[in-house]
Amino acid sequence: MNTDLSYLSKQGLWHNNPALVQLLGLCPLLAVSSSVVTAAGLGLITILVLLCSNLVVALIRHQITDAIRLPVFVLIIASFVTCAELLMQAFAYSLYLSIGIFIPLIVTNCAILGRAVSFASKNSPLISAFDGLMMGLGFALTLIALGALREVIGSGTLFANMDLLFPFAQSWELTILPAYPGFLLAVLPPGAFLFMGLLLATKNWIDQTSTKTNYIEIRDGQSSENLIRDTP
């Protein structure tokens, strides 16, 4: 298994992104991404849980048997989710009221359990923690991108109510579209599906364009080598 840090970063952020490629954790992703602040809140919790659960699973991987490892992994994940939920209740209670119902669903997020089973249980603690950080960051960035799209098109603003997450961010709100009447569909569940499909299509287009460009470069390089070799 490739444990190069650059490779793990590319996998988590792009090539094997939990949301855009694996399509995991879509329930909270679609439900909470109506604005940047709610998306960022859930994204930060996901990063915390993925990083900590991967680290603990890697630390105890030699002490648990295959017969009990899944219940143990779920218990570890649930413990960190509970800690994150209590922290949000203590320091960001207003935001917790908006997204609190979806925080316990992180326990059943296959992206987190999947990384514990397929990666953390087979690698060292530091590498596993880094993998969890990158996977969580990839998921969080997708959440924030979706939240930004829906917030701008839905209400014409960006970073509204960020002080719910960061008390020092009261002046972060940007009015992108002045006197904008709003577009209700963008902030409703159907809008979440539409914009998620747009993000998926954009990623696939970028991947296909990159693959085609690389193929042309390789083909041209081989043609040049053959021309040089055949030149007397």
Side-chain angles (χ1 to χ4, degrees), residues 107-182:
V107 178
T108 61
N109 191 329
C110 294
I112 299 176
L113 183 59
R115 295 318 291 175
V117 173
S118 65
F119 193 92
S121 62
K122 302 174 183 177
N123 291 279
S124 66
L126 291 180
I127 291 295
S128 298
F130 185 80
D131 174 76
L133 175 63
M134 290 298 104
M135 285 291 171
L137 190 58
F139 185 84
L141 289 176
T142 303
L143 256 174
I144 293 172
L146 185 58
L149 274 174
R150 295 179 65 192
E151 183 178 347
V152 169
I153 297 177
S155 58
T157 61
L158 190 62
F159 304 126
N161 302 314
M162 284 298 293
D163 57 300
L164 296 179
L165 182 60
F166 304 116
F168 54 83
Q170 295 181 357
S171 60
W172 284 18
E173 182 173 348
L174 301 174
T175 301
I176 307 298
L177 302 171
Y180 182 60

Side-chain angles (χ1 to χ4, degrees), residues 205-225:
W205 176 78
I206 293 173
D207 286 342
Q208 290 175 3
T209 303
S210 176
T211 301
K212 186 180 298 184
T213 301
N214 291 336
Y215 171 76
I216 293 173
E217 290 176 353
I218 293 172
R219 185 190 62 187
D220 291 345
Q222 291 174 344
S223 300
S224 299
E225 291 177 3

